[in-house]
Amino acid sequence: MKLSFALLTAIGLSGFVQFTHAADITGTVTLSGTPPAEIEIKPLENDPVCGKMHSGKVTTEFYVVGANKGLADAIVMLKGVKAAPASASAAPVVLDQKGCLYVPQIVAIQTGQKLVVKNSDPSTVPMHNVHINPKAGANLSEYSTKISQPQMSGAADLDYSFSAPENFMKFQCDVHPWMFAWVTVVDNPYFAVTDKDGKFTIKNVPPGKYKIVALHRKASPDGVEKDVDVKDSGATADFTLEIK
Amino acid sequence: MTQPSHNRWLHRFAVLTALATLALIGIGGLVTSHEAGMSVPDWPNSYGYNMFLFPPSKWVGGILYEHTHRLWASMVGLLVIALTRWLGGRASRKPLAIVGLVEVLAGLVIFAVLPHEKATGGFLTGIGGMVLLAALVWFRNEAAPSPLPQLGWLTFFIVQFQGLLGGLRVVLFKDQIGIFHATLAQIFFVLTCLIALMASAWWSRMANTPHATRHTQPSLLSSFSNLQKVIFATTALILFQLILGATMRHQHAGLSIRDFPLAYGRLWPATDPASLAHYNAHRIEITAIKPVTAFQIQLQMVHRIVAMLILLAVGWCALKAWRKFPGPLAKISAFWFCLILCQATLGAATVLTDKAADIATLHVLVGALSLATGAALSIIALRFPQRAAGVSPAEAVSKRQPAMDLDGVADMGTAGKMPSAR
C-alpha cells in the first residue's frame, strides 16, 4: 500500500515537473507587401468530372492572407534542436485528395512520423497518382521505387514516413496536373503551421533559448530566423514576411 | 544518289506516315503542355494493363494525352515497319526477319528470366512479331531507288529507339531523356518528310528533267552558292532552336519570362538572387509551379534571339530566291518564310497567353514544319540546284565571262571557287 502510494506520488510529481518544464511558443506571421492575385484553376473547372465537384470558382491558394494581414500556411519551427524521430505510435498526419485537390495543401510532419495520403474522391474520379518529389538523399533513396504511386478510387491509403528533414517536398498528382501539396519534414517535434489568421502555437517546448524560423513556400522559402527565449510561462514570436 | 522512279501508292503511304508523325509530335506537345508526361507511371503497361487493353473509362485528366500518345506512337511504329518493307523491296525481307526474330527471342528471354519485366518482354515480343510479319509479306516488289531504302531503315531503327526513349523517360523520371526524345522526334519527322518528298512524282520529274542550261553567269553562281549556305545554316539553326524549345518545355517550370517583347520590363532581365526571389514570389502558376532559375530565364532569352536570327535569315533567303531564282526554290522559300512568320507570332502568343496549351502545341507543330521545310529546301538546292533555281536559257553566260555550271555548286559546295566547265 505504501509502495503504491509512493509510486503514484512519484508519477504525479513527474507529470507536474514535466508540465512546469514545458511551455508554448505562440505568435503570428504577417505578410508585408501586396501579394499577386490568385488565378482560377481553369483546367480543374473545365475537367468533365472534377469540375462538377465544385460549384463556384476554384483558385490557387499561394497566399492566404487573413485578418490583420495574418499569413496562413507558413511553417514555424525550432532550429538546431536535437530530438529523436517520432515514434511509430505518434499520431499520423492526414493528407486527403478531395474534389481533385489536395487538402490541406501545406502540411508539416516530424521525421519518422507517418503521413497518410487518402483518396476521398468518388468513383467518378477513377484514380489519382501520388507523385512525390523528395530532394534529401535519404528520402529519395527510401522512396526511389515509390516516387509515383497510383491510388484508385476506394483504394487503401498510402503511408509515407521520411527520415531526413526537408522543406516543402512537393506532392503532385500527374493525372490532375493542378493538384499539389507541400510537405515539410522537421527533425524535431517543435513546429506548427499557421492558421487562417497567421497564428500558430508550438506546444510543450522545454524552457531555454532557441533559434526559431518561419517559412512560406512563396513569400519566404528560405525562412526568416530569430531568437526566442522560452520561459516557464512560454514565449511569443511574431514574424513579418515581406513580399518584395 | 540515283534517280527515283515514281510509285504513286508508295508516295501516298510515305505522306501518310509523315502526317501521322506530325500528329504524334502534336500529341506529344499536348502531353508536355498539359504537364501530363508522368500521368501513366508505368511502361510499357498502363496502370498494370496491357497498353492496348487499358479501359477508356480510365483515360481521365492527363492520362488521356499520355495514353493517346503511346497508342498513336505504336501506330506510327507499325506504319514505319511497313514503309521500311515497301521501300526496301523483297531484299528487305531477310534483314527484317533477322531483326524481328532477335526481338522476339529477346522479348521471350526477358519474359522468362526477369519476372518484374514481363510487360517489357511481352512488348518487345509484340514489336518483333510485327517486324517478322512484315518480313513474311510475300509481295516481291522491287526496292525503291537509292537512298530511299536506306532512309527507310534509318527511320525503322529511330522509331524503335524513340519508343524505348519515351518509355525510359517515364520509368527513370529523367527530364534529360525527354529533351532527347523531343529532339529525335523532330529529326524523325524530317526523315519521313524527305522520304515522302523523294518518293513523289515531282522529285521523279526533277530527277529526270535535263538541265535547262549548263552555263550560268559567275555572279549568279556566287549568289546561288551563298543562298545554299544560308539555307543549310538556317536549317541547322532551326534544329538548334527546337532543341532549346525542348529543353525549355522539359524544365516543367512554365514560362520563365512572362512578358513580351520586353523581359521583366527590360531588354535583358536581371538574374541576381534578389531578382529571382522577387520573380518567384510574384509567380502564380497552376501546373508548372517550379521556381524559375537564372538558367531558365537565360534559356528563354537565347530562344528569343535565335528566333530573330531565324526570321531574318529565312526572310533573306525568301527575298534572294524570289528576286534571282524564280523556280521551285523561290516558292518553297516563300512558304518557309510564311511558316517562320507564323511561328514567331505563335511564340509571342505562347508568352502572352501564359502558355495556353493549344497555342504552345501549335508552336511545337509549326516548329516541326519549319525544320522539315528547311531540310527539304536544303536537299532540293543540293540535289537539283539548277532546276530548283529555275535558271533559264536567257541567263546564259555572256561572251565576256567564263562559263560555269550551277549544278557544280552542289559538287563544290564552296562559293568563289569555280568548278571546271564540263
Side-chain angles (χ1 to χ4, degrees):
Chain A
M1 184 69 184
K2 275 185 181 174
L3 185 67
S4 301
F5 179 75
L7 202 62
L8 281 172
T9 308
I11 292 170
L13 277 174
S14 69
F16 179 73
V17 168
Q18 193 175 351
F19 178 73
T20 55
H21 283 79
D24 295 347
I25 304 174
T26 57
T28 307
V29 177
T30 51
L31 183 72
S32 161
T34 308
E38 302 292 338
I39 50 177
E40 256 184 281
I41 307 177
K42 287 270 172 69
L44 186 161
E45 293 172 1
N46 296 336
D47 187 279
V49 175
C50 299
K52 285 181 184 159
M53 289 190 279
H54 298 271
S55 52
K57 286 182 180 177
V58 187
T59 65
T60 53
E61 294 180 356
F62 287 99
Y63 291 96
V64 180
V65 183
N68 300 318
K69 291 215 152 192
L71 181 61
D73 292 337
I75 311 283
V76 186
M77 65 172 94
L78 294 190
K79 210 174 158 187
V81 178
K82 291 205 183 295
S87 68
S89 60
V93 173
V94 175
L95 179 59
D96 201 357
Q97 295 165 102
K98 208 188 273 183
C100 297
L101 288 171
Y102 276 112
V103 181
Q105 291 181 15
I106 296 290
V107 171
I109 56 171
Q110 192 187 348
T111 46
Q113 189 176 10
K114 191 191 282 186
L115 175 73
V116 176
V117 179
K118 296 170 75 74
N119 181 359
S120 297
D121 271 330
S123 59
T124 48
V125 182
M127 69 181 84
H128 288 298
N129 183 356
V130 183
H131 178 173
I132 64 172
N133 296 269
K135 295 277 187 293
N139 298 338
L140 193 57
S141 58
E142 282 163 17
Y143 282 93
S144 61
T145 57
K146 294 180 186 171
I147 290 288
S148 178
Q149 297 190 78
Q151 194 175 29
M152 303 294 173
S153 172
D157 297 342
L158 296 173
D159 293 344
Y160 294 87
S161 172
F162 302 100
S163 61
E166 184 170 340
N167 294 338
F168 301 119
M169 183 195 302
K170 190 169 68 182
F171 277 51
Q172 64 190 89
C173 171
D174 293 318
V175 179
H176 305 103
W178 58 83
M179 276 180 70
F180 294 100
W182 286 265
V183 176
T184 295
V185 186
V186 187
D187 60 359
N188 66 67
Y190 309 115
F191 58 87
V193 181
T194 56
D195 66 13
K196 63 183 176 54
D197 294 323
K199 295 185 185 305
F200 70 90
T201 302
I202 300 176
K203 290 184 179 296
N204 300 325
V205 183
K209 292 184 174 176
Y210 300 96
K211 294 275 185 200
I212 187 168
V213 60
L215 317 115
H216 184 267
R217 63 182 153 155
K218 275 285 181 187
S220 182
D222 296 327
V224 170
E225 191 178 295
K226 57 167 57 180
D227 295 317
V228 63
D229 187 2
V230 180
K231 309 281 189 195
D232 288 346
S233 57
T236 302
D238 293 327
F239 292 88
T240 299
L241 303 185
E242 189 179 0
I243 177 166
K244 292 177 182 169
Chain B
M1 205 181 277
T2 60
Q3 294 177 353
S5 60
H6 176 242
N7 177 330
R8 186 189 299 174
W9 282 103
L10 174 61
H11 174 239
R12 285 175 182 170
F13 191 73
V15 169
L16 176 72
T17 306
L19 287 176
T21 304
L22 183 65
L24 181 60
I25 289 174
I27 299 169
L30 284 174
V31 170
T32 45
S33 296
H34 287 279
E35 293 290 331
M38 296 303 299
S39 60
V40 183
D42 50 348
W43 179 87
N45 276 359
S46 295
Y47 286 97
Y49 289 89
N50 179 302
M51 185 198 300
F52 304 104
L53 303 175
F54 186 55
S57 62
K58 296 190 187 303
W59 299 19
V60 294
I63 297 172
L64 173 69
Y65 304 109
E66 171 62 15
H67 192 63
T68 308
H69 186 57
R70 292 183 184 192
L71 294 182
W72 198 274
S74 303
M75 188 191 74
V76 170
L78 290 180
L79 288 175
V80 170
I81 291 171
L83 186 63
T84 308
R85 168 69 180 86
W86 200 334
L87 291 170
R90 61 186 170 200
S92 66
R93 291 180 64 202
K94 193 175 172 184
L96 277 173
I98 292 169
V99 172
L101 204 59
V102 167
E103 287 179 344
V104 167
L105 289 175
L108 290 175
V109 167
I110 291 171
F111 193 86
V113 176
L114 301 172
H116 296 300
E117 298 295 340
K118 278 189 174 177
T120 309
F123 189 63
L124 190 56
T125 307
I127 293 174
M130 297 314 296
V131 176
L132 266 180
L133 194 66
L136 292 173
V137 171
W138 183 244
F139 296 125
R140 297 176 65 82
N141 63 312
E142 290 300 321
S146 177
L148 283 170
Q150 292 84 347
L151 286 176
W153 280 108
L154 193 57
T155 55
F156 174 83
F157 287 113
I158 287 180
V159 82
Q160 299 205 24
F161 183 56
Q162 182 71 339
L164 180 67
L165 281 179
L168 289 177
R169 159 70 187 95
V170 170
V171 296
L172 297 180
F173 292 92
K174 292 286 183 199
D175 287 336
Q176 294 88 335
I177 297 178
I179 296 167
F180 192 59
H181 183 61
T183 306
L184 196 57
Q186 300 282 354
I187 294 170
F188 177 75
F189 175 59
V190 167
L191 284 173
T192 59
C193 287
L194 292 184
I195 290 173
L197 173 69
M198 290 181 182
S200 68
W202 181 85
W203 185 271
S204 188
R205 268 200 310 278
M206 291 289 276
N208 294 315
T209 305
H211 294 186
T213 175
R214 293 186 62 83
H215 302 294
T216 309
Q217 291 177 1
S219 61
L220 206 59
L221 176 71
S222 168
S223 185
F224 187 81
S225 175
N226 288 338
L227 180 60
Q228 260 187 336
K229 283 176 185 168
V230 176
I231 289 172
F232 298 157
T234 308
T235 304
L237 197 60
I238 292 175
L239 179 62
F240 175 69
Q241 178 78 330
L242 294 179
I243 295 171
L244 287 181
T247 309
M248 287 162 65
R249 294 174 77 77
H250 287 269
Q251 298 283 316
H252 305 291
L255 284 170
S256 56
I257 304 169
R258 308 178 76 166
D259 52 341
F260 182 86
L262 293 177
Y264 291 106
R266 298 165 60 163
L267 280 176
W268 191 273
T271 53
D272 58 282
S275 299
L276 287 174
H278 173 77
Y279 303 152
N280 283 316
H282 286 81
R283 266 168 67 86
I284 301 291
E285 287 277 2
I286 292 173
T287 55
I289 52 160
K290 277 185 184 171
V292 297
T293 62
F295 169 73
Q296 290 161 355
I297 291 173
Q298 285 152 1
L299 197 63
Q300 196 186 124
M301 289 307 292
V302 174
H303 193 66
R304 290 183 183 195
I305 291 168
V306 174
M308 278 181 60
L309 291 177
I310 291 171
L311 188 62
L312 289 173
V314 174
W316 183 87
C317 290
L319 196 65
K320 192 91 168 171
W322 200 258
R323 280 183 176 169
K324 295 198 172 181
F325 307 105
L329 213 60
K331 290 174 189 161
I332 302 172
S333 296
F335 173 70
W336 199 23
F337 183 58
C338 291
L339 270 180
I340 297 296
L341 272 181
C342 180
Q343 179 68 341
T345 309
L346 283 170
T350 300
V351 176
L352 297 175
T353 60
D354 203 10
K355 207 178 174 185
D358 45 357
I359 301 288
T361 303
L362 268 177
H363 192 49
V364 172
L365 278 178
V366 178
L369 284 172
S370 303
L371 178 67
T373 307
L377 205 52
S378 300
I379 294 287
I380 291 167
L382 190 70
R383 178 73 182 88
F384 311 116
Q386 200 164 41
R387 281 149 287 180
V391 176
S392 67
E395 290 167 311
V397 66
S398 72
K399 286 176 185 172
R400 283 170 290 174
Q401 293 190 322
M404 259 165 286
D405 182 353
L406 192 57
D407 277 5
V409 175
D411 303 330
M412 291 292 291
T414 313
K417 290 185 182 174
M418 294 181 181
S420 56
R422 292 175 187 168

